[in-house]
Amino acid sequence: MVSAGGQAPGWGEALRVYARKPVLVISLLGFSAGLPFLLVFSTLTAWLRDEGVARTAIGFFAWVGLTYSLKVLWAPVVDRVRLPLLTALLGQRRGWILLGQLGIAAGLAAMSQLDPAASLLPIAAAAVLVAFSSSTQDVALDAFRIESAPDEEQGALSAGYIFGYRVALLVAGAGALYIADASGWSAAYLAMAVLVAVGVAATLWGDEPPHRGALEQQRMDSAMVDRVMGRPMHLERRAFWQRQLLGAVVCPFLEFLQRYRRFAVVVLVFVAVFRLSDIAMGVMANPFYLDLGYSKSEIASIAKLFGFFMTIAGSALCGLLVLRFGILRPLLLGAILVASTNLLFSLLALEGGAAPPPIVWLALVISADNLSGGIAATAFVAYLSSLTHRSYTATQYALFSSLMTLPGKFISGFSGWLVDSSGYPWFFVVAAALGVPAIVLVLVLMAREHRQYRDRAAPEPAP
């Protein structure tokens, strides 16, 4: 954002952007996006472990999260298909967001009525419904966020989204654990289902962002489809399957490949491996705390409540670093810190014995982990947003966010087996090692950026 005179705005002017309606709506929708995530991930694993479910079975529940990684398969549907009634009333983006929210509420309500010890398969099915609905909401919400403001205000929208998301993680993590400790897990999950109403209210309050006109989008699609088919032809003259499949599915990927060419492979691999370390560790975090001997209330106070503020601090710090140094250097810092903090968990595991380690040790490790996670997540969201083209926002961002979690979710399915066979110390060492490829690839991205800057700065040859 720049001032009328072309200068960077003052702090007061910049801060006022956070009071604008689009930012407030995105903050509430960020809460809606973050609420179901832990309820099918670490909070669910704590519930399962508390009910005596085997760690190996808990590890397999991580595969429920693969739904988030596969959302790219139905992202073109969310991008193009109009929903009966909902699209007419709310618009393309908000209609799909609301549909996802209704599915989340239904799945959480169903989970609240089930007993994991007696109904492990039904609770897995309900968790899949929550994850599928949540990932569908994410596809539409990511497009809604990127399309709701010009590029210079995307930083404010991302900050609002991350804040709302982190508040939801606090509620679904610490809040659910507190409720479960006081009233049981059924009450906790039923309360989470009710809180979906926050996102529903934000969806109804928000304004549908402007979209590219149908004729303009058709012309852009037609040019790309012509290249795929190898002969020029107006898109409207092609068969129905060509118009729908190629226009909605092929064009978003083709545009990205044309923009980055061969280097697109490096970018996609980097997106796929950046979160390997923290996703692989995350599924076993709550079982680890419980196995060390900490109570659910202690976990809620330290790992969730205290960790929340450290994450926000990391996000705020990263915002300043991105402003000062660009995206890639904070991205490198985040990658290094995320991998390194897993080694602190390994040291904490070595201290476990008949009694849990001092609570201050847990607080220090959690602080380092969440601070680094806040830095890494904020820099990575900014990086992913910079990769998208606004003509294909939903599908392209779904591709990146799916790749972001797919390898980690798959690998994390074996986390329980690795803990059972080798113990927690070695598990966290392996998790740290999984962060090395991300560090290397950030250096590759930085080298490419340096070459591009050098080429642009080079004087043109004399005629």
Side-chain angles (χ1 to χ4, degrees):
M1 185 171 66
V2 294
S3 61
Q7 301 295 322
W11 287 109
E13 183 182 351
L15 286 172
R16 279 195 291 273
V17 73
Y18 290 104
R20 296 184 65 244
K21 180 179 176 181
V23 179
L24 298 176
V25 170
I26 288 296
S27 298
L28 294 174
L29 289 176
F31 179 89
S32 181
L35 185 69
F37 182 72
L38 291 185
L39 299 175
V40 294
F41 193 44
S42 63
T43 299
L44 179 57
T45 63
W47 182 10
L48 297 177
R49 188 59 181 163
D50 200 36
E51 296 291 337
V53 177
R55 284 189 294 259
T56 298
I58 293 174
F60 291 138
F61 262 79
W63 287 340
V64 171
L66 286 174
T67 308
Y68 289 93
S69 303
L70 298 175
K71 63 186 177 183
V72 66
L73 299 179
W74 60 91
V77 175
V78 177
D79 219 351
R80 299 293 181 95
V81 173
R82 294 175 59 86
L83 293 171
L85 187 61
L86 288 179
T87 299
L89 291 175
L90 300 174
Q92 183 71 13
R93 302 307 184 202
R94 292 193 299 149
W96 277 100
I97 291 172
L98 181 60
L99 181 63
Q101 291 166 342
L102 296 177
I104 293 167
L108 292 176
M111 292 176 72
S112 72
Q113 304 304 308
L114 296 170
D115 178 9
S119 307
L120 199 57
L121 187 58
I123 207 167
V128 169
L129 172 61
V130 173
F132 177 79
S133 300
S134 175
S135 57
T136 300
Q137 176 192 227
D138 287 350
V139 172
L141 177 50
D142 288 329
F144 180 85
R145 172 176 54 83
I146 296 172
E147 294 168 357
S148 289
D151 289 343
E152 59 267 23
E153 295 183 13
Q154 285 299 315
L157 290 182
S158 296
Y161 176 84
I162 291 175
F163 176 76
Y165 196 97
R166 293 296 176 179
V167 171
L169 295 185
L170 177 63
V171 171
L177 287 172
Y178 279 129
I179 296 173
D181 217 13
S183 303
W185 286 104
S186 292
Y189 269 74
L190 187 59
M192 298 300 110
V194 172
L195 284 175
V196 176
V198 173
V200 173
T203 302
L204 299 177
W205 182 37
D207 299 315
E208 183 73 5
H211 302 291
R212 184 181 294 272
L215 181 59
E216 185 181 1
Q217 185 67 58
Q218 187 180 83
R219 289 172 178 170
M220 185 171 182
D221 290 347
S222 182
M224 291 194 177
V225 170
D226 286 341
R227 296 176 187 177
V228 175
M229 301 301 292
R231 64 182 188 279
M233 182 185 296
H234 292 297
L235 191 62
E236 60 270 17
R237 294 171 53 191
R238 297 190 183 277
F240 177 81
W241 72 270
Q242 292 181 6
R243 295 199 308 271
Q244 299 301 317
L245 180 62
L246 296 181
V249 178
V250 174
C251 288
F253 303 107
L254 183 61
E255 189 281 330
F256 173 74
L257 293 174
Q258 288 178 338
R259 198 157 21 109
Y260 284 91
R261 301 185 182 277
R262 293 181 180 179
F263 198 75
V265 176
V266 177
V267 173
L268 294 177
V269 171
F270 169 68
V271 171
V273 303
F274 185 79
R275 294 197 59 201
L276 270 180
S277 183
D278 67 317
I279 292 178
M281 185 279 285
V283 70
M284 279 293 129
N286 277 334
F288 171 60
Y289 304 145
L290 290 169
D291 287 344
L292 282 180
Y294 297 111
S295 69
K296 290 189 288 292
S297 294
E298 288 175 327
I299 296 171
S301 298
I302 301 299
K304 305 303 180 185
L305 184 59
F306 188 68
F308 163 78
F309 291 104
M310 295 306 299
T311 300
I312 295 300
S315 296
L317 174 60
C318 185
L320 296 176
L321 293 176
V322 170
L323 183 65
R324 178 67 177 83
F325 300 108
I327 294 176
L328 292 183
R329 279 191 272 184
L331 201 61
L332 176 63
L333 176 63
I336 294 172
L337 291 177
V338 165
S340 301
T341 51
N342 277 314
L343 298 178
L344 298 180
F345 282 99
S346 183
L347 294 175
L348 185 64
L350 291 173
E351 294 297 327
I359 196 71
V360 66
W361 293 9
L362 178 65
L364 290 174
V365 174
I366 291 296
S367 297
D369 179 62
N370 284 271
L371 184 70
S372 63
I375 293 172
T378 303
F380 200 47
V381 167
Y383 179 73
L384 292 183
S385 297
S386 73
L387 296 179
T388 61
H389 189 285
R390 291 206 175 200
S391 298
Y392 307 104
T393 312
T395 303
Q396 286 186 346
Y397 199 92
L399 168 66
F400 303 140
S401 57
S402 294
L403 280 175
M404 174 180 68
T405 58
L406 181 58
K409 291 290 185 182
F410 178 77
I411 291 175
S412 65
F414 300 100
S415 58
W417 169 81
L418 181 59
V419 171
D420 283 339
S421 60
S422 302
Y424 281 114
W426 277 111
F427 166 74
F428 289 117
V429 170
V430 171
L434 290 174
V436 173
I439 297 172
V440 173
L441 286 173
V442 177
L443 294 174
V444 172
L445 294 175
M446 293 176 71
R448 179 177 184 266
E449 183 183 67
H450 178 72
R451 288 196 302 270
Q452 291 178 329
Y453 176 79
R454 183 186 58 197
D455 292 342
R456 288 193 300 267
E460 296 184 0

